[in-house]
Amino acid sequence: MKNKTSCLPREGEARPSRCPDNSAFKQQKLPAWKPQLTIVTVLCTFFLTGVFCLSVGVCLILSTNSVREIQVDYSDKCSDCSKLRENSSNWDKECHCSVNFTLKEDILGDVFMYYGLQNFYQNHRRYVISRSDAQLLGRKVNVQKSYCAPFTTYQNGTPMAPCGAIANSMFNDTIDLFYNLNSSLIQVPLLKTGNSWWTDKNVKFRNPKSYNLSSAFAGTARPPYWQKPVYLLDEEDERNNGYVNDDFVVWMRVSAFATFRNLYRRVRRIRQFADGLPAGNYTFHISYNFPVTKFKGRKYAILSTVVWSGGSNPFLGIAYVVSGTAAALTGFVIAAIHLKLRKKKTYFQK
């Protein structure tokens, strides 16, 4: 280590260029808080942290357990459609199936419908980056210079809109819910908009500017696995088309795990469903388009409520309980070591 006086200029000499200024900041003399750790403060910190984490964890777990949820696996129940979709040449053939289930109790409050996928890995690096954010903002870009390859253009040079592997693999099953009342089917009204994040819908995704969407996407073509172009994703609501379509926006937020669920619809609380879903027999009518057999996947239709802490995922509550337990146990271990050493010290002093 250099002597501190070595940076001081001698008489008649200039100050060395690499020497720091003689200031409190550069000489590390700023006032700082230097806590003196005692056994009392350490134990209090561990025990208070443990109590806090355990309390929050128990509250989160109890809140999660109050969520009402029903999950229907329709992978095998739609086996005929699944076999049809194994052959990619049948992409233009429609296939429908129905799955019956029963609600033993009313599901009160807001009810959300999700679709779930198992064994579908969206966290692969090449898959995650296979998109063009500039294109999704409605800008005119050369997709061949993006990370969308190989889903950029067709052999004739027509660019894909949207490009990339994420968009091409978009979940495209159609799920409708029917309530069986007195031998008659009543379709449950579902909301298809307002299901995406505000920042995604209004900041990250925009349609190209034009007097109509069909002209805005002129000169482009749908991705290979899509059945319709991007400007016809919702033929009932023109405002829910193009890159701002809610189903598309939700799908483009990729999951970190192989098993995940995405919000698909919300039950509109009107008529018989003003208070939620009444107990009874229900049927999912599914237009089966998304193949999963090649990667040994599963598909689910999920009805669930939410609470102040979110959905039915207990991970956060369990994490708090584990952290709180670890902190409390560490406090007990430190206290035991301290008492043992203090007894030995008292013995030797005698």
Side-chain angles (χ1 to χ4, degrees):
M1 182 180 290
K2 285 188 175 182
N3 192 342
K4 291 183 179 180
T5 60
S6 61
C7 284
L8 297 177
R10 298 179 181 178
E11 187 177 354
E13 295 182 357
R15 180 184 179 86
S17 60
R18 301 185 63 182
C19 287
D21 296 334
N22 188 23
S23 62
F25 176 75
K26 293 189 175 181
Q27 295 298 332
Q28 300 182 9
K29 296 179 181 179
L30 290 173
W33 178 56
K34 299 178 181 179
Q36 298 296 324
L37 296 179
T38 63
I39 188 63
V40 176
T41 57
V42 170
L43 290 178
C44 288
T45 300
F46 275 104
F47 286 128
L48 289 176
T49 302
V51 171
F52 172 77
C53 290
L54 285 172
S55 302
V56 174
V58 170
C59 291
L60 289 173
I61 291 176
L62 292 176
S63 175
T64 301
N65 290 338
S66 66
V67 173
R68 296 290 312 281
E69 178 178 301
I70 182 169
Q71 180 172 289
V72 178
D73 185 342
Y74 64 93
S75 306
D76 297 330
K77 296 178 181 179
C78 298
S79 56
D80 293 339
C81 292
S82 179
K83 293 178 181 178
L84 179 70
R85 291 290 176 247
E86 288 180 4
N87 188 348
S88 59
S89 61
N90 296 326
W91 66 270
D92 58 339
K93 297 180 180 179
E94 294 186 358
C95 189
H96 303 272
C97 60
S98 299
V99 180
N100 300 319
F101 65 97
T102 302
L103 290 182
K104 297 181 180 179
E105 298 179 357
D106 296 345
I107 300 182
L108 302 178
D110 294 327
V111 182
F112 300 84
M113 180 189 292
Y114 301 83
Y115 61 84
L117 289 176
Q118 181 180 339
N119 208 35
F120 188 90
Y121 290 85
Q122 288 190 312
N123 55 4
H124 192 282
R125 180 178 176 274
R126 289 194 62 185
Y127 183 87
V128 172
I129 65 174
S130 184
R131 58 189 291 165
S132 173
D133 291 322
Q135 183 193 47
L136 298 176
L137 283 171
R139 301 173 185 171
K140 292 184 178 180
V141 295
N142 185 359
V143 294
Q144 291 183 336
K145 295 182 179 180
S146 65
Y147 293 104
C148 289
F151 302 102
T152 52
T153 60
Y154 286 92
Q155 293 182 353
N156 59 3
T158 304
M160 299 180 189
C163 69
I166 306 176
N168 184 60
S169 61
M170 176 181 167
F171 183 85
N172 57 349
D173 282 1
T174 301
I175 306 174
D176 294 316
L177 180 62
F178 289 85
Y179 176 44
N180 304 327
L181 181 63
N182 299 327
S183 301
S184 62
L185 289 179
I186 301 175
Q187 185 169 6
V188 179
L190 301 174
L191 297 172
K192 61 176 68 175
T193 58
N195 301 323
S196 59
W197 292 17
W198 186 92
T199 52
D200 287 348
K201 186 84 171 182
N202 296 277
V203 178
K204 295 184 179 180
F205 295 84
R206 296 175 186 171
N207 285 325
K209 293 182 179 180
S210 181
Y211 62 92
N212 61 42
L213 280 182
S214 60
S215 62
F217 289 98
T220 64
R222 58 174 176 79
Y225 291 171
W226 285 28
Q227 296 177 332
K228 57 180 70 175
V230 66
Y231 55 86
L232 291 178
L233 289 179
D234 188 351
E235 299 180 6
E236 299 177 358
D237 187 356
E238 295 182 356
R239 297 172 299 177
N240 191 36
N241 269 315
Y243 297 145
V244 296
N245 175 265
D246 270 61
D247 292 338
F248 175 71
V249 171
V250 170
W251 177 259
M252 292 300 290
R253 182 174 288 277
V254 297
S255 172
F257 301 100
T259 299
F260 62 93
R261 63 177 63 180
N262 284 335
L263 182 59
Y264 181 66
R265 296 289 185 266
R266 292 175 294 130
V267 174
R268 187 179 180 187
R269 298 175 63 177
I270 58 174
R271 300 192 300 273
Q272 298 99 325
F273 314 102
D275 297 325
L277 292 180
N281 297 321
Y282 288 84
T283 302
F284 281 126
H285 284 189
I286 301 166
S287 176
Y288 198 106
N289 298 305
F290 194 85
V292 295
T293 53
K294 289 187 177 180
F295 57 87
K296 298 179 181 179
R298 311 289 298 180
K299 292 193 293 186
Y300 304 91
I302 305 164
L303 295 173
S304 177
T305 60
V306 296
V307 291
W308 62 270
S309 59
S312 62
N313 190 350
F315 174 79
L316 187 60
I318 295 174
Y320 267 103
V321 170
V322 171
S323 301
T325 303
L329 289 177
T330 303
F332 283 116
V333 171
I334 293 175
I337 294 174
H338 171 69
L339 293 175
K340 185 176 181 181
L341 293 178
R342 189 174 65 175
K343 288 180 180 180
K344 286 186 178 181
K345 185 177 181 181
T346 304
Y347 173 78
F348 286 119
Q349 285 179 349
K350 290 181 179 179

